[in-house]
Amino acid sequence: MKSLLLILLTAACLAEPHLPPGTKALPSAAPKGRGPLALVNLNHHVLGHARVFGGQEPDLFVAGYGGPQAVHLFKWVDTAETGAPVFAEPVVVKCTFKDKGTVFQRKDGTILGLWISKEELVTTEFDREKLEFRETKREKLPKAVKSPASLGVLMTEGGHDLAFEVSNGGKGAEGSPNTEEWRPYNSSGIAVGELRYRYLMGMTSKGEARQITKTKNEVYFSMHGITGIHLGKGHERDLITGSRQGNLIYYRNKATSGFDLETKRLAAGEDGNALRHPSINPSVAAYPGGLIACGEGSLYFYRFTGEWAKTGAPVFAEPVSVLQENADLYAGTLPSPTTVDWNGDGLLDILAGNSEGFVLFFENIGSNDEPKLLPATRVQAGGRDIQVQAGYSGSLQGLQEARWGYLSPNAIDWNGDGTLDLITGDITGDYLIYLNRGTKTQPKLDAAHPLYCNGIDLHGMWRCRPAVARIGDRVALAIVDGDDHFHLYWRMDDYNVEDGGKLKLNDGKPIGTSGGVGGMSGRCKLDFFDWNQDGALDFVIGTGRVVSIPDRETGYPMAALGQNPVVGGVIGSLVDKALPMKAKKTLGTPLVMLNTGTNEKMQFARPLVFRDEDGLVVQPGGAHETGAVGTMLGKDGPNLLICNEAGRLFLLPGKKLKTAP
């Protein structure tokens, strides 16, 4: 009994991704398979660089978190036309520590890794032959350096000085965003709670520690990393940090050893204005010619121009993607895809939105049966890259989410002019339309315009994707409404829709979506697609683990898949009692809901999961929501296009999938 219970507990507690055996992420079809460098993680931290393999430029150490944690080493192989470094596929480095560290190389060639372990500083040395960081020293940090979040190194003639990121102790809004009582903004629309800041403490090679920034209110929320950087004569030992909001924070250090920091400045672009990294949470690491920054998303290279802004800040060129050879296609974090012929060449391409708030276009240069897709380019509207983000008050979880967008696009010829338009949902719960004023082969989108119903902006649950379809001579739009139900609307004109009523199950009940309130609401990616090829449009749905369709008691995936194994009897009772609620959670799971009515009078069966030929539920990976769509891309469709939350795309043959409760 005891051993069986242990087996059941283990099975229930592990929420591991599952894809059909042999499934691989869609690869880059660019020469040498080049594409943006990104680990299978939500976030990246460039630890530093060193010459490990003897190349012309140094190799790169990168850690990932939000997913499998490991330290990776990327071998430098080339410099791209953009000036960005190109690396080979990564190898995993053996290391006890996975983050809160920095890697650097001394003049004698020794490669060191320094790591924060609670209140201790750990020194490790890299073994090139065994690809391993081995601990050589462990020391207590000075009391003044309390709970540091990251560290950076500045070399001296005989050693190195250290800079540490520490908190000023501010507290954010109280309570949980998963309750009805949660209020991150007051009645005047102002964020509640203290604005949390980070600042820098310094420790010299002699062990002396003190505050080195002018104030304790330097950067909102977090810096995410610190790097020493050589920017020319008189700037050999300057510092740059990242920030949650995307600014790169520059400190001139006038000291030849130790610290004498000037007031902070914001690293500038070539127009003289402060740079803002494309995604949230960038950390930074110096690299020859400039610096590499990365956060939630892939790695970017910022080339130092050698110029200085009027503010006294260094000027960097616009960031370009750091590249990897033999790369997977990368769609950004939490992608939501669709397949359409975007450039009018008769081939299905992929469009995808992501948490950064971009819409990406993956061009198919192969065929529909054997697609070959190039790395993404950003879709523009009104002459600029589309990027939707929450801003000050656009996220129900508060100000700290200002840089997330969770953009979820769908494409259809909305106004009947023969070109594809875009309709999007996002973090705010609003729905926007981008009308195409170009041609089939050269799309040219207008800037975003709200959709209205009865004169009010069409609004529903946050982080959802609208389903769109042409039915007869009308265009249908389905969203998750403010009651948390699937809801149908019909196009009236370019910017207005009329209410088509709630969509229902076979038993006449509305179709619910969320496993809870607040942060547990929404997160549902809808798509109209005739999965069983009977002529009626079904729903293919991408979910996060907190989604619960069609109700919170029995819905998928949270209630139905997130509970304990179906074992019943005494063992089932024991498992229920033994497992904490957090152990009962599942992963985001693609679903299908079959339309048992007609397109004009829809009604839906309860959701089904996709299972592989072994009967195992398909779960591409990640707790957050990602998209899923039915598609005729690939042989013998219909097929299923899904994503994991780390930005990989998977095309699963429909004939090898089973749908079942």
Side-chain angles (χ1 to χ4, degrees), residues 26-369:
L26 292 176
S28 165
K32 297 184 180 180
R34 290 184 178 181
L37 188 154
L39 298 173
V40 189
N41 295 87
L42 284 177
N43 295 275
H44 297 84
H45 180 194
V46 177
L47 298 166
H49 66 264
R51 296 182 185 274
V52 179
F53 300 109
Q56 180 179 330
E57 298 292 350
D59 311 300
L60 203 63
F61 289 90
V62 184
Y65 54 102
Q69 287 197 297
V71 174
H72 299 79
L73 174 59
F74 289 84
K75 178 183 178 181
W76 178 89
V77 294
D78 198 5
T79 299
E81 291 181 2
T82 61
V86 183
F87 298 94
E89 296 173 73
V91 293
V92 175
V93 168
K94 187 176 181 181
C95 183
T96 304
F97 306 95
K98 303 298 185 287
D99 201 11
K100 289 191 174 183
T102 188
V103 174
F104 63 100
Q105 191 166 24
R106 297 193 308 212
K107 288 183 179 180
D108 64 5
T110 304
I111 301 170
L112 298 180
L114 300 182
W115 312 89
I116 298 166
S117 179
K118 296 183 179 179
E119 304 303 323
E120 292 182 317
L121 178 68
V122 181
T123 302
T124 60
E125 186 172 329
F126 185 66
D127 185 323
R128 286 177 169 86
E129 292 186 2
K130 295 184 178 180
L131 296 179
E132 177 182 2
F133 281 101
R134 295 180 297 186
E135 184 174 330
T136 59
K137 184 180 179 181
R138 185 179 288 256
E139 57 189 310
K140 196 79 173 176
L141 287 167
K143 289 184 178 180
V145 183
K146 186 178 180 181
S147 302
S150 63
L151 77 161
V153 173
L154 284 179
M155 302 301 295
T156 65
E157 193 61 37
H160 53 264
D161 302 319
L162 298 177
F164 294 93
E165 172 194 352
V166 294
S167 172
N168 74 347
K171 294 182 179 180
E174 295 182 356
S176 168
N178 299 332
T179 64
E180 288 286 7
E181 295 73 32
W182 170 251
R183 295 293 183 272
Y185 305 95
N186 65 21
S187 59
S188 300
I190 305 302
V192 299
E194 299 172 320
L195 283 174
R196 293 163 286 169
Y197 290 88
R198 299 297 177 99
Y199 64 101
L200 294 177
M201 295 289 296
M203 188 171 79
T204 67
S205 55
K206 296 179 181 179
E208 300 167 346
R210 65 177 177 86
Q211 179 180 326
I212 58 175
T213 50
K214 301 293 185 185
T215 75
K216 290 187 176 181
N217 296 344
E218 293 290 305
V219 176
Y220 283 154
F221 303 117
S222 55
M223 293 176 172
H224 285 278
I226 309 160
T227 190
I229 190 166
H230 188 313
L231 294 173
K233 188 175 181 180
H235 298 275
E236 294 88 350
R237 303 180 74 249
D238 293 345
L239 286 173
I240 293 181
T241 82
S243 71
R244 183 178 182 87
Q245 302 304 79
N247 293 125
L248 307 181
I249 315 301
Y250 166 72
Y251 295 94
R252 186 185 178 196
N253 182 17
K254 295 182 288 186
T256 55
S257 65
F259 300 94
D260 182 11
L261 302 189
E262 294 183 352
T263 301
K264 74 175 183 183
R265 298 177 173 93
L266 302 182
E270 292 181 282
D271 61 0
N273 295 312
L275 287 166
R276 207 162 187 239
H277 192 69
S279 58
I280 196 169
N281 293 340
S283 64
V284 290
Y287 193 82
L291 59 85
I292 291 174
C294 58
E296 183 167 328
S298 59
L299 278 62
Y300 290 85
F301 177 69
Y302 289 79
R303 178 180 59 82
F304 177 49
T305 65
E307 302 295 323
W308 296 83
K310 292 180 180 179
T311 60
V315 174
F316 293 88
E318 283 295 306
V320 292
S321 288
V322 175
L323 299 179
Q324 176 195 314
E325 293 189 341
N326 300 315
D328 297 330
L329 291 177
Y330 182 68
T333 54
L334 280 60
S336 181
T338 191
T339 58
V340 292
D341 179 9
W342 184 244
N343 57 359
D345 62 359
L347 302 178
L348 288 173
D349 311 298
I350 295 177
L351 293 179
N354 57 32
S355 65
E356 296 170 84
F358 293 117
V359 178
L360 304 181
F361 166 51
F362 298 86
E363 183 182 1
N364 183 0
I365 59 170
S367 66
N368 286 332
D369 283 349

Side-chain angles (χ1 to χ4, degrees), residues 582-596:
K582 66 180 180 180
K584 300 177 184 179
K585 293 178 180 177
T586 186
L587 298 175
T589 309
L591 306 172
V592 62
M593 294 184 72
L594 298 177
N595 181 0
T596 57

